[in-house]
Amino acid sequence: MKIDILAFGAHPDDVELGCGGTIAKMVSEGKKCVVVDLTRGELGTRGTDETRKAEAADAAKILGLSARENLGMKDGFLVNSEEYQMRIVKMIRKYRPEIVLANAIDDRHPDHAKGAKLVSDACFLSGLRKIETVEEGENQEVWRPKHIFHYIQWKDIKPEFVIDISEFLDTKIASCMAYKTQFYDPASKEPETPITTKDFYESLTYRAQDLGRLSGVTYAEGFTSEKLISLKNFDGIVW
């Protein structure tokens, strides 16, 4: 399958929280988007890896993903190893995206920054012809994405550009709240965590609103880029 955007998350729900609005917008414009979760999120305080799996499937439907996969890496113990790099290389070559979205380059959860570097390194390795991979008995062709963009998560990283998600904030929030065990639920009897609070739930709106305020739109999501971005013209800029 040749797709437009391949989004990686260290845990199920990372993509929804960081760039769910952008994914929903791209899908609405006819782009093919796939999400690959690196771990099952099995160390999460609430829920189980099985509930996370079901919730991730529900979120995928809300966002309109073309596919979603999970690489089964060890939650809490991501390492930039050859084994993990090669699992990601196979995904990149399988889907052949133009753009890769990855975790924040620095964040509260150590898996996020580790996942960011792991995906970035795998994107480079995926373009090397002497690295051979096989998928379903077929030799895979090399592929290197044109761009790697990192979404923003817990920490307040200054974005290098934003995407206007003004018409897609509700879809983003719905995809996040598909993870019923993970976020704000006043009826839950499970332990509270920093992401289960009402304030965190409200932050999905007010952080997007603040980036929108700064960029001249209603709501936005921010990204950092691994290389300097070149514009063909000014047509895509919000005035």
Side-chain angles (χ1 to χ4, degrees):
M1 183 191 298
K2 174 72 177 72
I3 68 168
D4 301 289
I5 297 174
L6 182 58
F8 289 92
H11 314 100
D13 75 22
D14 282 356
V15 170
E16 288 84 355
L17 289 168
C19 60
T22 298
I23 294 290
K25 181 173 187 175
M26 296 300 100
V27 170
S28 78
E29 295 177 358
K31 301 292 193 299
K32 291 182 179 180
C33 301
V34 170
V35 169
V36 175
D37 301 308
L38 302 185
T39 77
R40 297 185 302 275
E42 64 270 20
L43 292 184
T45 300
R46 290 187 176 187
T48 66
D49 54 344
E50 287 301 316
T51 58
R52 290 288 279 274
K53 181 179 179 180
E55 291 165 350
D58 289 341
K61 293 176 183 176
I62 292 169
L63 293 178
L65 300 179
S66 297
R68 184 168 204 151
E69 302 207 32
N70 193 299
L71 296 183
M73 298 176 184
K74 194 173 182 180
D75 187 14
F77 298 92
L78 284 183
V79 291
N80 201 351
S81 66
E82 179 180 350
E83 177 192 353
Y84 282 2
Q85 288 171 351
M86 293 306 296
R87 290 190 201 180
I88 297 172
V89 166
K90 291 180 70 173
M91 290 292 102
I92 295 167
R93 291 178 174 181
K94 176 179 179 178
Y95 290 109
R96 304 168 68 81
E98 300 299 322
I99 293 172
V100 161
L101 304 179
N103 283 98
I105 56 175
D106 181 32
D107 212 43
R108 171 179 169 271
H109 196 306
D111 275 354
H112 294 171
K114 291 178 182 179
K117 185 68 168 73
L118 181 55
V119 169
S120 177
D121 289 352
C123 285
F124 179 82
L125 295 173
S126 182
L128 298 181
R129 297 190 177 278
K130 290 186 178 180
I131 293 179
E132 298 180 355
T133 55
V134 176
E135 173 76 12
E136 296 182 353
E138 299 283 338
N139 291 328
Q140 291 183 307
E141 294 184 16
V142 299
W143 185 265
R144 185 173 291 152
K146 291 183 173 65
H147 295 283
I148 307 169
F149 300 134
H150 296 272
Y151 46 85
I152 295 170
Q153 299 184 259
W154 183 273
K155 289 190 176 181
D156 191 21
I157 296 173
K158 183 176 181 180
E160 294 173 324
F161 68 93
V162 301
I163 298 292
D164 177 7
I165 62 162
S166 299
E167 297 179 10
F168 299 92
L169 180 67
D170 289 345
T171 306
K172 171 194 174 81
I173 293 176
S175 72
C176 293
M177 297 311 291
Y179 295 88
K180 298 179 178 66
T181 62
Q182 300 303 304
F183 300 117
Y184 179 63
D185 178 5
S188 176
K189 303 301 182 184
E190 294 194 77
E192 190 161 293
T193 74
I195 65 171
T196 64
T197 64
K198 186 178 180 182
D199 179 67
F200 183 82
Y201 169 73
E202 292 175 346
S203 76
L204 301 178
T205 297
Y206 67 67
R207 292 187 75 183
Q209 189 173 32
D210 192 50
L211 286 177
R213 175 185 65 84
L214 293 169
S215 58
V217 300
T218 306
Y219 301 111
E221 288 176 332
F223 298 85
T224 59
S225 176
E226 293 201 1
K227 67 179 183 181
L228 187 64
I229 299 173
S230 175
L231 303 179
K232 289 185 178 180
N233 53 50
F234 297 124
D235 289 345
I237 297 177
V238 177
W239 299 97

